Amino acid sequence: MKTIVKVLLASALLLLITLPATTGAEENSNSPMHWGFKKGRNGRQADAGRMFEVILEDHGAVYKGDKNSKEIYLTFDNGYENGYTEKILDILKEEKVPAAFFVTGHYLESAPELVARMANEGHIIGNHSWHHPDMTKISDEKIKKELEMVRTETERITGKKHMTYLRPPRGIFSERTMAVAKEAGYIHVLWSLAFVDWNTDQQKGAQYSYDKIMTQIHPGAVLLLHTVSKDNADALGKVIRDLKEQGYKFKSLDDLMLSKGGMKDPMLY
């Protein structure tokens, strides 16, 4: 009997030794989550709810800044070029406002000169994946490949080796995809202010974009706009000037992460 017990114990120990180590990503749920929140109103912050707040905190992700600081973090998603990014960059340069542009592979291939200008003028280039997939439906390795393809091509265009920020395509993610991205060195950046602005055949005029932004604006807002929108390009200058008049300051994502203690030193972009 003692011999049998010893054999069983030895077998169990051998099994533990030979089992492959699991990664943080493998231990996380892959249940897809679609980003959403209660919109900000009358200067009150947007609220994603306790569940999202905990998940984002656990994975070092962000979607808004300090509720007591009148600071705004301006971000753009660049899936493809529609002729308005140059105007947006002109406005940002004139108003001395920093921004982050989350680019896809298509954008890198079709508008490299604009990506180079973004970097040259001090803006952050963020990763929006190469093919814009639902990352909860692809493997860990494919997620890493999607991100690395964007990083490599961005480095080739701009000379900037590091990418720090990731915006999940379609706003869909899981704890697994967040863990994989974090292992690859990325910080998930979601948003606390957005509206339907990407339908290029349903543009409604600059006033529409202006009103959507101004009614939701709040301290610490991470504002998401799409550069394909003519409305956004036409409204942006007035939005920036009027928000400055209200006492808001435009900060970079590096400033946001420093304020949260998530970065020791800003990356060089």
Side-chain angles (χ1 to χ4, degrees), residues 53-65:
E53 296 272 4
V54 170
I55 290 170
L56 266 59
E57 183 176 354
D58 286 347
H59 292 277
V62 296
Y63 80 102
K64 63 183 178 181

Side-chain angles (χ1 to χ4, degrees), residues 17-66:
I17 293 172
T18 56
L19 279 173
T22 59
T23 66
E26 291 169 342
E27 296 169 354
N28 283 279
S29 167
N30 193 44
S31 296
M33 291 176 276
H34 296 250
W35 179 242
F37 49 84
K38 182 180 179 180
K39 294 179 181 180
R41 283 287 186 272
N42 301 317
R44 294 192 300 271
Q45 281 196 319
D47 184 6
R50 181 61 179 165
M51 182 193 77
F52 273 139
E53 296 272 4
V54 170
I55 290 170
L56 266 59
E57 183 176 354
D58 286 347
H59 292 277
V62 296
Y63 80 102
K64 63 183 178 181
D66 187 347

Side-chain angles (χ1 to χ4, degrees), residues 179-207:
V180 171
K182 188 174 182 180
E183 288 173 2
Y186 287 92
I187 297 168
H188 264 65
V189 177
L190 295 159
W191 59 91
S192 64
L193 198 166
F195 56 98
V196 178
D197 62 348
W198 58 84
N199 292 324
T200 58
D201 59 347
Q202 297 178 27
Q203 296 295 288
K204 302 177 182 180
Q207 190 64 43

Side-chain angles (χ1 to χ4, degrees), residues 81-94:
E81 180 52 34
N82 197 35
Y84 304 115
T85 306
E86 186 174 2
K87 179 177 181 178
I88 288 169
L89 287 169
D90 289 343
I91 293 168
L92 297 177
K93 185 176 182 179
E94 180 180 353

Side-chain angles (χ1 to χ4, degrees), residues 4-265:
I4 294 173
V5 171
K6 287 181 180 179
V7 169
L8 290 173
L9 287 173
S11 298
L13 180 60
L14 180 61
L15 180 62
L16 287 172
I17 293 172
T18 56
L19 279 173
T22 59
T23 66
E26 291 169 342
E27 296 169 354
N28 283 279
S29 167
N30 193 44
S31 296
M33 291 176 276
H34 296 250
W35 179 242
F37 49 84
K38 182 180 179 180
K39 294 179 181 180
R41 283 287 186 272
N42 301 317
R44 294 192 300 271
Q45 281 196 319
D47 184 6
R50 181 61 179 165
M51 182 193 77
F52 273 139
E53 296 272 4
V54 170
I55 290 170
L56 266 59
E57 183 176 354
D58 286 347
H59 292 277
V62 296
Y63 80 102
K64 63 183 178 181
D66 187 347
K67 66 180 180 179
N68 297 312
S69 297
K70 295 190 77 171
E71 297 176 345
I72 301 170
Y73 308 93
L74 184 57
T75 72
F76 295 90
D77 281 5
N78 291 67
Y80 64 95
E81 180 52 34
N82 197 35
Y84 304 115
T85 306
E86 186 174 2
K87 179 177 181 178
I88 288 169
L89 287 169
D90 289 343
I91 293 168
L92 297 177
K93 185 176 182 179
E94 180 180 353
E95 296 294 337
K96 297 180 174 59
V97 167
F101 293 87
F102 289 88
V103 298
T104 62
H106 183 281
Y107 198 88
L108 289 164
E109 290 185 327
S110 62
E113 70 287 350
L114 289 171
V115 176
R117 181 180 171 185
M118 292 168 190
N120 290 338
E121 294 183 357
H123 301 297
I124 289 171
I125 311 296
N127 202 320
H128 201 36
S129 80
W130 190 266
H131 296 102
H132 204 260
D134 175 349
M135 292 201 289
T136 66
K137 295 181 178 179
I138 62 177
S139 69
D140 293 4
E141 287 307 312
K142 285 187 177 180
I143 291 173
K144 293 173 184 177
K145 184 177 181 180
E146 284 278 333
L147 301 181
E148 183 60 14
M149 287 173 70
V150 171
R151 190 206 65 78
T152 301
E153 184 63 8
T154 301
E155 180 183 3
R156 188 191 70 77
I157 293 169
T158 68
K160 306 296 183 181
K161 182 176 182 180
H162 298 288
M163 296 190 85
T164 302
Y165 304 107
L166 163 68
R167 176 159 286 155
R170 314 178 198 181
I172 303 173
F173 57 95
S174 69
E175 292 193 77
R176 176 186 71 89
T177 65
M178 294 182 83
V180 171
K182 188 174 182 180
E183 288 173 2
Y186 287 92
I187 297 168
H188 264 65
V189 177
L190 295 159
W191 59 91
S192 64
L193 198 166
F195 56 98
V196 178
D197 62 348
W198 58 84
N199 292 324
T200 58
D201 59 347
Q202 297 178 27
Q203 296 295 288
K204 302 177 182 180
Q207 190 64 43
Y208 175 81
S209 178
Y210 177 89
D211 290 343
K212 286 294 184 180
I213 295 168
M214 301 303 280
T215 56
Q216 293 186 57
I217 201 66
H218 60 79
V222 175
L223 172 56
L224 162 60
L225 298 173
H226 288 82
T227 57
V228 295
S229 167
K230 183 179 187 299
D231 292 353
N232 289 342
D234 290 344
L236 185 60
K238 180 173 172 56
V239 166
I240 290 172
R241 290 188 292 271
D242 287 359
L243 288 175
K244 285 180 176 178
E245 284 291 322
Q246 292 184 21
Y248 281 97
K249 295 181 179 179
F250 288 83
K251 298 284 188 174
S252 76
L253 292 180
D254 287 343
D255 294 320
L256 174 58
M257 295 312 301
L258 283 168
S259 72
K260 289 181 172 290
M263 184 184 292
K264 293 182 179 179
D265 297 298

